[in-house]
Amino acid sequence: CTRRGRRRRRRTTIALLLGLVSQQARVASPLSATRPSSHSVPKQHKQTPASPRRAEKNNNDAARVVVVGGGASGTFAAIAAKRAAPRADVVLVESGATGLRKVLASGGGRCNVMHAFEDGQDGDDLRRFLELHYPRGRRELRGPMAARFGPREARRFFEDDLGVALKTEADGRVFPTTDDSRTIADALERAAHDAGVQTLYSWPVAGVRQSGCCPEHARSFVVARSNGNDVIEADAVVLATGSAKAGYAMARALGADVAPPYPSLFSFRTIRSEKHAAILDARLAGVVVKDATVALEGLDQSPSKKIAPQRGPLLVTHRGVSGPAALKLSAFAAEALRDSEYRGALVVNLVPGVDDVRAALQRYRRDHAAGVVANDKKRPFADRLPARLWAALARVVVGDDTIRWGDLDNKQLGALAIACSALRVPFAGRDANKDEFVTAGGVRLNQLDPKTMQAKRLPGLFFCGELLDIDAVTGGFNFQACWTTGHLAGTGAAQHALLAAAAAAS
């Protein structure tokens, strides 16, 4: 193909996007932003494209970025791309009738938008922040979060650029002060709209391919709609398809190495037929231990793969155990649990921090000899163990609801101490966590430029969000990965598209 031929084809290429009634407003600077009130953002601006042959002519000489996927990372990438290249066409395509569905569902409808990382914390703090909360991707995220777009930048973006008031709760989770996830979704949609991002809903993508030097295509990539008729040409493409199977297939078709996806962040279904597991059964559903340590027994515990116990609140459910401690353990042990087919045993310390549980019970026996062991009103560790849980422990372990502390022999006391500090809870199966929807696996990070999330083998192709082999524990950390990688991918895609368009024009 000659340069003259490419110019002629570019002049005659028909614009592929419909629904734009007027020219989109241009942003004066990549750093400038409208600051809407979180209470006055508009609803989604739907644009439904028709056939490209009937499309209105767009700026066909401008650089073009197409972002596939209108979730958290995709919307963030589109905003970043448009701000980095205000004169470029940035198109966000989403298969559903609306976008940001996980944002709206997260945090019980409140949207745990991120986790706090305060000013004054340094690089060592960031390293520990990542090690404690990111089972996969922590090493690759450290540089981008430290030098480009981390938790502090994300908070400034939402508060200063978008005008969303945020609050930090005692455990470090950050929410909008409205306690309404619609506040975050509306603010992101408004930012994309005001920047000039062209958003196309109900536009499922069948595939992305390189255009090569085909006579009918003047750009590097072609994004094809699943109806078989509509296509969009692009100088750069960002895949932000989350955990959708179609996204993994697209990535593989373009040469990406994808780690097989598997669940992360789930609760454990306990086996109630065994004695100690019956303690944490449906009769205690809703009971919360505010501070517990949960570890795995019987899985691969070699030094290189040792899975650390996780500490935090523990919730008894109708089917087993959940809560932050169990969920964190499921994330860090996701691969080992997958390989074990989700069968094994938990070891639960219900009183972490108590140095010698047996000695503490011996002292209690001495001081309360006339009291009934199963009494749920006067009991040891009353500030740690809920009354219903202590009564169940005493009933199952001691086997006598009426026995007094003075009649409790050393063997029974020892068994009670073990139940408090090393309760063995067999499990078989898992249940999804309803507040966060997280998948481990995805596009392997070693084949991407960590500064831009661009594929090393295919310039112009970028990835972000849950499609990557990055996942984190509950608490806003997964959204932070979306904001960081979305910013990197969107900015990198815009810069690549500008260079590609300039090279084609010359």
Side-chain angles (χ1 to χ4, degrees):
C1 297
T2 65
R3 293 181 179 175
R4 181 176 299 173
R6 283 198 298 269
R7 292 195 191 100
R8 184 166 59 252
R9 285 190 300 277
R10 185 179 294 276
R11 287 194 300 268
T12 58
T13 300
I14 299 175
L16 306 171
L17 308 172
L18 266 190
L20 296 179
V21 179
S22 61
Q23 183 69 21
Q24 298 280 2
R26 300 300 185 188
V27 183
S29 163
L31 298 178
S32 65
T34 303
R35 301 179 57 182
S37 166
S38 61
H39 299 286
S40 62
V41 289
K43 294 185 179 295
Q44 290 172 321
H45 301 265
K46 294 187 180 181
Q47 301 172 24
T48 305
S51 167
R53 291 190 174 88
R54 300 194 304 273
E56 178 184 343
K57 184 174 177 61
N58 198 4
N59 183 5
N60 208 43
D61 291 327
R64 183 178 297 151
V65 176
V66 173
V67 181
V68 181
S73 65
T75 303
F76 213 82
I79 295 168
K82 191 62 179 175
R83 291 187 174 193
R87 294 181 179 275
D89 292 333
V90 177
V91 185
L92 175 63
V93 296
E94 161 59 35
S95 62
T98 60
L100 298 169
R101 291 186 293 276
K102 286 187 179 181
V103 169
L104 291 170
S106 71
R110 297 171 62 208
C111 190
N112 180 190
V113 67
M114 59 178 294
H115 200 90
F117 188 81
E118 303 300 337
D119 288 334
Q121 293 182 292
D122 58 17
D124 287 338
D125 293 319
L126 178 60
R127 176 182 56 79
R128 183 163 177 77
F129 178 88
L130 292 166
E131 287 179 350
L132 289 176
H133 304 118
Y134 290 84
R136 284 152 290 275
R138 55 186 178 270
R139 287 188 297 272
E140 292 83 358
L141 283 174
R142 186 179 177 186
M145 280 195 183
R148 288 174 175 78
F149 199 88
R152 283 189 284 253
E153 289 78 14
R155 183 157 194 156
R156 284 196 290 268
F157 173 82
F158 280 102
E159 291 186 324
D160 298 342
D161 281 8
L162 303 190
V164 175
L166 300 176
K167 62 178 180 180
T168 302
E169 299 196 340
D171 59 1
R173 294 180 300 163
V174 178
F175 294 88
T177 57
T178 60
D179 283 326
D180 185 355
S181 57
R182 172 53 67 182
T183 300
I184 301 296
D186 283 350
L188 290 171
E189 290 165 3
R190 174 64 173 269
H193 177 261
D194 288 353
V197 174
Q198 303 164 33
T199 304
L200 309 180
Y201 294 106
S202 300
W203 217 96
V205 172
V208 178
R209 68 178 188 273
Q210 291 178 270
S211 62
C213 195
C214 302
E216 68 272 23
H217 299 302
R219 300 180 191 267
S220 301
F221 296 92
V222 176
V223 181
R225 194 180 184 186
S226 59
N227 64 7
N229 297 320
D230 300 338
V231 296
I232 304 175
E233 297 178 26
D235 298 296
V237 171
V238 180
L239 288 185
T241 51
S243 57
K245 292 181 180 179
Y248 296 127
M250 277 186 261
R252 289 191 185 98
L254 290 164
D257 183 13
V258 178
Y262 51 96
S264 182
L265 283 184
F266 49 83
S267 56
F268 296 85
R269 294 183 188 175
T270 56
I271 303 173
R272 296 180 178 84
S273 59
E274 297 197 23
K275 180 179 178 181
H276 282 185
I279 296 171
L280 305 180
D281 64 11
R283 287 172 293 182
L284 293 182
V287 167
V288 176
V289 181
K290 294 181 180 179
D291 185 22
T293 299
V294 185
L296 280 174
E297 175 192 272
L299 296 183
D300 186 352
Q301 295 288 291
S302 62
S304 62
K305 295 185 178 180
K306 187 171 180 61
I307 300 164
Q310 298 297 318
R311 186 168 177 174
L314 185 70
L315 169 68
V316 182
T317 71
H318 285 88
R319 299 165 67 101
V321 292
S322 185
L327 293 172
K328 287 190 290 185
L329 183 66
S330 76
F332 279 95
E335 186 175 1
L337 289 165
R338 176 202 62 189
D339 295 343
S340 73
E341 297 182 345
Y342 305 101
R343 301 185 70 88
L346 302 174
V347 179
V348 182
N349 184 351
L350 297 168
V351 288
V354 178
D355 294 334
D356 191 335
V357 176
R358 186 186 182 98
L361 290 176
Q362 286 173 335
R363 289 191 296 271
Y364 196 91
R365 179 176 63 178
R366 180 194 64 204
D367 298 339
H368 301 83
V372 175
V373 174
N375 189 328
D376 60 4
K377 294 181 180 178
K378 292 184 178 181
R379 62 189 187 278
F381 315 122
D383 58 336
R384 294 170 174 265
L385 299 181
R388 290 169 58 200
L389 176 56
W390 171 258
L393 282 170
R395 181 180 64 252
V396 174
V397 175
V398 179
D400 185 346
D401 288 349
T402 62
I403 192 171
R404 297 182 182 278
W405 279 100
D407 298 325
L408 196 69
D409 62 33
N410 287 335
K411 183 178 179 180
Q412 291 171 315
L413 186 141
L416 195 56
I418 291 173
C420 289
S421 60
L423 181 65
R424 186 177 185 273
V425 183
F427 63 88
R430 61 180 179 81
D431 286 311
N433 176 38
K434 295 180 175 59
D435 286 338
E436 292 203 39
F437 316 86
V438 179
T439 303
V443 174
R444 298 186 192 274
L445 300 174
N446 60 4
Q447 59 189 319
L448 306 181
D449 180 347
K451 297 179 181 178
T452 62
M453 296 292 115
Q454 180 175 218
K456 295 177 182 177
R457 296 181 181 178
L458 184 53
L461 178 64
F462 299 78
F463 301 91
C464 64
E466 197 178 349
L467 179 59
L468 298 170
D469 189 12
I470 297 174
D471 65 284
V473 300
T474 185
F477 303 100
N478 284 291
F479 273 142
Q480 181 59 60
C482 288
W483 314 141
T484 296
T485 59
H487 175 82
L488 295 175
T491 303
Q495 293 169 348
H496 179 90
L498 290 174
L499 292 174
S506 64

